[in-house]
Amino acid sequence: MAARTTLTRAETLVAQVEADIKARGLKPDDWITNKQELRETSGMARATVNEAVRLLQDRGMVVPRPGPGEASSWRRSIPS
């Protein structure tokens, strides 16, 4: 079975967010963005943004900021 070489849209968005975190010099506990802004700036669908955020959380890159309704803002995670 051949290895997959193309990235999904969510993985591409994750790479963009990770690059943005590095480019902006964000430190642990700095605020990043919210889903609406991420959808607007990336032009990607809600499901794609949700998947990208889940991947970022799974990688320990971001943690949700509690708010009304669904958690919609994130901050850079604090390394353990």
Side-chain angles (χ1 to χ4, degrees):
M1 182 173 178
R4 186 176 64 131
T5 57
T6 58
L7 297 177
T8 66
R9 287 186 181 113
E11 291 167 334
T12 300
L13 185 55
V14 166
Q16 291 172 359
V17 170
E18 289 175 337
D20 186 51
I21 287 170
K22 290 176 187 172
R24 292 172 49 198
L26 296 179
K27 304 287 186 239
D29 214 27
D30 284 348
W31 296 108
I32 299 174
T33 188
N34 63 47
K35 287 182 181 180
Q36 181 177 346
E37 289 175 358
L38 197 51
R39 280 194 306 268
E40 290 171 1
T41 59
S42 70
M44 294 194 184
R46 181 183 305 236
T48 301
V49 170
N50 288 341
E51 176 67 11
V53 169
R54 187 191 63 74
L55 290 170
L56 287 163
Q57 286 178 288
D58 289 350
R59 294 178 184 184
M61 291 292 296
V62 299
V63 292
R65 174 183 171 233
E70 70 177 82
S72 59
S73 298
W74 300 275
R75 60 182 171 86
R76 178 85 162 84
S77 67
I78 300 172
S80 350

